[in-house]
Amino acid sequence: MKIFTEKIGDRGAQASFYLQEANSSVDANRKAPFLIIVPGGAYCYTAWREREPIAYEFISKGFSCAIFDYATEGAEFFDGKHDYSRDPVSAFPNPLIDLAKTIAAVKAHATEWQLDAGSINVIGFSAGGNLVAQLAAYWQTPWLAKLTGLKAEQMHPDSVGLCYPALKMVDLSNHKIAILNKVKVSIDLINYAATGLDQSDERVAMINLDNAVTGQFPRCFMWGTTEDVNCHVGDAISFAGELAQNKVPFEFHMYQKGNHGMSLADKRTDGRPDHALSDPQAASWVKLYLGWLSENKLYHLL
């Protein structure tokens, strides 16, 4: 396996690549499906539990992977004691631009990296799910092409996975305190991390994906839990309705049990004393996702 990290853009984003190497003892001509993993962290940081553990799980299933770490200021920056008079590096559309560039780089190297060029998939968790949904909604737009210098087909994923996605990322009516990576952060500052200084209705609507689903939205797999108080079940159901209305092929699973940030939903990614991030039902999402990819001819190792 080839493992390396590359800088993406000029704001501090990077992608860590894990590339399968075909072997003649099995199949010298095998081309691996590819999965870009986008962690959560409220655009303040990128969460460990949604990085390497996800990559290792899918590497074991035959995928080549990249962990996309969009640029953030780091959780400690959002303690209320720093200068918030400038846009953070995480402000829209910066992470989207760098994610689009990551996909384009993967597509450009598909032959060299022994990839299945028809199976370039992106999966995101929480805020990462918001970012992946942005990509799915805007990959074909002229304004994103202008910002990235890329053609639409270079940014187009073959499928997207939305894991407890923050579809309503910005809530300007909420002034509660959240805890991110052991740092207390006001919801106002989470909004700031996603939007920067411009919190106009138009900008917020683009981040929250209001009416952003069209028939060009890629095939979509989505899951969440009804007990998730951060990413509300109603938002996911409404979004699934938009996918259906626009005739986008999708699969949607809503589990009863589980708090926000479940990742693999077992003890590999659950360090809580009450094991609130583990649930056998929710952990089935990996098997269901692989089955969905196989059904859509994006995975051929089942």
Side-chain angles (χ1 to χ4, degrees):
M1 175 164 288
K2 294 180 181 178
I3 303 175
F4 58 93
T5 299
E6 290 190 352
K7 293 181 180 179
I8 307 294
D10 57 5
R11 285 173 285 268
Q14 66 178 31
S16 301
F17 292 89
Y18 303 78
L19 303 180
Q20 305 274 357
E21 296 180 278
N23 190 280
S24 59
S25 66
V26 178
D27 182 355
N29 298 312
R30 177 174 291 175
K31 297 183 184 300
F34 200 85
L35 186 65
I36 299 174
I37 299 157
V38 186
Y43 290 110
C44 299
Y45 72 108
T46 52
W48 175 86
R49 68 163 56 90
E50 294 153 356
R51 298 176 76 261
E52 280 86 352
I54 301 297
Y56 297 151
E57 175 70 14
F58 285 94
I59 289 167
S60 74
K61 306 301 184 186
F63 285 81
S64 288
C65 295
I67 300 169
F68 173 65
D69 287 310
Y70 44 90
T72 72
E73 303 292 342
E76 292 76 11
F77 178 78
F78 297 92
D79 61 2
K81 302 176 183 178
H82 287 75
D83 177 12
Y84 307 113
S85 64
R86 61 169 177 82
D87 277 345
V89 294
S90 55
F92 176 86
N94 292 347
L96 175 59
I97 292 169
D98 291 337
L99 177 56
K101 289 180 178 179
T102 302
I103 293 178
V106 171
K107 290 193 170 192
H109 291 89
T111 300
E112 175 190 351
W113 293 347
Q114 296 179 289
L115 305 181
D116 178 352
S119 184
I120 309 299
N121 312 284
V122 190
I123 190 169
F125 299 79
S126 190
N130 173 269
L131 180 53
V132 171
Q134 287 181 28
L135 174 74
Y138 304 135
W139 66 270
Q140 81 290 358
T141 57
W143 62 263
L144 186 56
K146 183 177 180 180
L147 288 173
T148 60
L150 298 168
K151 295 179 180 179
E153 58 267 24
Q154 293 176 281
M155 301 181 279
H156 176 252
D158 293 299
S159 80
V160 294
L162 307 180
C163 306
Y164 42 90
L167 298 167
K168 299 295 183 184
M169 185 71 218
V170 179
D171 181 359
L172 299 180
S173 67
N174 197 333
H175 301 282
K176 295 180 180 178
I177 298 294
I179 297 178
L180 296 173
N181 203 20
K182 300 181 181 180
V183 176
K184 290 185 177 181
V185 181
S186 75
I187 298 299
D188 284 348
L189 287 178
I190 293 176
N191 294 334
Y192 163 80
T195 66
L197 300 177
D198 179 3
Q199 296 185 350
S200 62
D201 290 345
E202 180 182 8
R203 190 177 184 84
V204 169
M206 293 187 75
I207 297 168
N208 284 350
L209 302 161
D210 292 345
N211 304 311
V213 176
T214 69
Q216 293 179 295
F217 204 94
R219 289 168 286 189
C220 180
F221 180 93
M222 181 166 58
W223 72 274
T225 66
T226 65
E227 295 180 344
D228 188 337
V229 297
N230 294 79
C231 297
H232 195 267
V233 58
D235 296 337
I237 291 172
S238 177
F239 197 79
E242 291 184 32
L243 293 173
Q245 185 175 0
N246 285 277
K247 296 181 170 55
V248 176
F250 76 98
E251 187 163 307
F252 176 41
H253 299 277
M254 185 56 64
Y255 299 100
Q256 178 182 342
K257 296 291 184 179
N259 290 351
H260 184 69
M262 296 193 79
S263 185
L264 294 171
D266 61 31
K267 292 180 182 177
R268 288 175 291 174
T269 53
D270 182 2
R272 296 189 181 182
D274 60 357
H275 301 305
L277 299 181
S278 298
D279 182 78
Q281 281 287 93
S284 71
W285 78 263
V286 173
K287 181 178 179 180
L288 294 171
Y289 178 54
L290 291 172
W292 178 79
L293 289 171
S294 180
E295 189 173 65
N296 283 274
K297 304 186 187 313
L298 295 170
Y299 182 64
H300 307 286
L301 297 176
L302 284 180

